[in-house]
Amino acid sequence: MARFLALALILAALLTSALAAPSSPSTGLLLVANKGDQTLGLIDPSAGRQIATVAEGGVTGHEVAASPDGKRAFVPIYGNSGVGLPGTDGSTLDVIDLSARKVIHTIDFGHGVRPHCAVFGPKDGLLYVTTELDKSVTIIDPQTLKIVGSVPTGQAESHMLAISLDGRYGYTANVGPGTVSVLDLAGRKTLSVIPVAGHVQRVSVTPDGRWVFTSDAEKPRLAVIDAATYKVDRWIALPGTGYGTASTPDGKWLLVAVPQANGVAVVDLATLQIVKTITVPPAPQEVLIRPDGQVAYVSCSHSNQLAAIQIGSWSVKLIEAGHGADGLAWAK
């Protein structure tokens, strides 16, 4: 009986310890588009290092999306210039097997479209890719790797895309026109085009779908768009012109890359006020929040690094990446 009681006490202690222990970090693979190297970088987030690169099939990939099962990456090949600038017009998208670490298929759009931002629909599982020169978002079936449709944006230079968590709405940042297009993804039509500024950059939507954010590329401010009214509700002053944004899954924080300030502004989504600016290496570009909400990864293109920001403590660790680190994705 004494031995049984001792064993029971030990088991109870172990169970209590396990329940009290903090949850372990999400396991997964961090993907980064290394524009200068024309490679996709595979980063072990636990080790904090780039463990492999995959050469792209063209010049050059700016963004990347990971399939929901974490097995493949999709890299649109944009071209050799920036948005709205003279240069080549990309017409393909690389499909990369992350286990084999190689390009296994190339999707051809048939003509130059400057494909740029790829996003998986959270409900339908389809892949949506901005195709700037067609003023559209092209829809790809990731199983058959075939183009199955498109959604018009009604604007030129539809560069970046965000999709609401319910999968109903898409939002494109139309750089040159300075607008945001609101898309009905199921109906495959444009619902509205929202005037914002002279030029805009990047776009994101909060987890509850209430707010859409895009940066004024000419002034140090962030547009807060009311998703219900299709209007700019207010502006958030930034310490420099902004770029990429992302909300934490709990809807508490919005992180804003501010390249001019070499910083990341932290916005309290309850008040829509900046509460902190975190110093990071030069030219922060894209912000990716890890699915567990514990870490934000920020690509810093001029230093060829990623800044890993601990949500809450706001401490920063740096990860070496490739030249011109830009687009990010998380492969579970």
Side-chain angles (χ1 to χ4, degrees):
M1 179 62 71
R3 181 179 295 177
F4 174 78
L5 289 174
L7 181 60
L9 288 171
I10 291 171
L11 290 173
L14 289 173
L15 180 59
T16 300
S17 175
L19 291 174
S23 59
S24 59
S26 292
T27 56
L29 195 63
L30 183 61
L31 309 178
V32 55
N34 297 318
K35 291 194 298 188
D37 295 336
Q38 298 168 22
T39 65
L40 178 69
L42 281 58
I43 289 175
D44 180 339
S46 298
R49 64 186 182 88
Q50 185 167 270
I51 56 174
T53 59
V54 179
E56 298 167 355
V59 180
T60 186
H62 295 189
E63 299 291 328
V64 56
S67 60
D69 62 8
K71 294 181 179 180
R72 291 180 173 180
F74 295 79
V75 180
I77 305 302
Y78 182 78
N80 65 1
S81 68
V83 60
L85 299 176
T88 60
D89 301 329
S91 60
T92 60
L93 182 149
D94 283 349
V95 183
I96 295 171
D97 184 310
L98 293 174
S99 178
R101 299 177 180 176
K102 65 179 182 180
V103 175
I104 57 170
H105 187 77
T106 298
I107 297 171
D108 193 334
F109 293 93
H111 60 284
V113 294
R114 294 196 177 187
H116 187 259
C117 179
V119 181
F120 272 90
K123 298 299 182 181
D124 60 20
L126 296 172
L127 183 66
Y128 294 84
V129 184
T130 58
T131 37
E132 287 182 15
L133 298 186
D134 278 357
K135 300 180 181 179
S136 70
V137 172
T138 295
I139 307 170
I140 294 171
D141 182 331
Q143 303 304 317
T144 64
L145 302 179
K146 302 293 185 183
I147 294 172
V148 295
S150 67
V151 185
T153 66
Q155 296 281 278
E157 298 177 14
S158 299
H159 198 58
M160 298 296 291
L161 169 69
I163 297 178
S164 59
L165 279 184
D166 62 10
R168 296 176 62 189
Y169 303 108
Y171 303 91
T172 60
N174 311 311
V175 176
T179 60
V180 168
S181 294
V182 184
L183 310 178
D184 175 348
L185 296 182
R188 299 185 180 181
K189 61 184 179 180
T190 305
L191 296 176
S192 181
V193 175
I194 304 168
V196 178
H199 290 80
V200 297
Q201 262 293 355
R202 308 279 159 155
V203 66
S204 70
V205 57
T206 51
D208 63 4
R210 181 181 181 186
W211 302 117
V212 176
F213 302 97
T214 190
S215 297
D216 185 336
E218 299 173 349
K219 298 179 181 179
R221 59 181 188 166
L222 182 73
V224 183
I225 297 170
D226 187 324
T229 65
Y230 303 156
K231 293 181 179 179
V232 175
D233 181 84
R234 69 192 79 182
W235 295 91
I236 299 173
L238 299 174
T241 52
Y243 217 63
T245 59
S247 301
T248 54
D250 60 8
K252 187 174 183 180
W253 307 109
L254 176 78
L255 276 68
V256 186
V258 187
Q260 282 189 335
N262 294 334
V264 174
V266 180
V267 176
D268 183 334
L269 283 172
T271 63
L272 294 175
Q273 298 290 320
I274 293 177
V275 297
K276 180 182 289 291
T277 299
I278 302 162
T279 299
V280 297
Q285 302 288 300
E286 189 152 299
V287 182
L288 171 72
I289 311 292
R290 202 166 70 186
D292 64 6
Q294 294 182 20
V295 181
Y297 298 100
V298 182
S299 55
C300 302
S301 64
H302 288 185
S303 69
N304 310 319
Q305 293 173 308
L306 308 182
I309 302 172
Q310 296 291 322
I311 304 295
S313 71
W314 308 116
S315 59
V316 179
K317 292 183 179 179
L318 300 181
I319 301 171
E320 299 298 323
H323 288 86
D326 191 1
L328 300 170
W330 182 268
K332 68 176 184 179

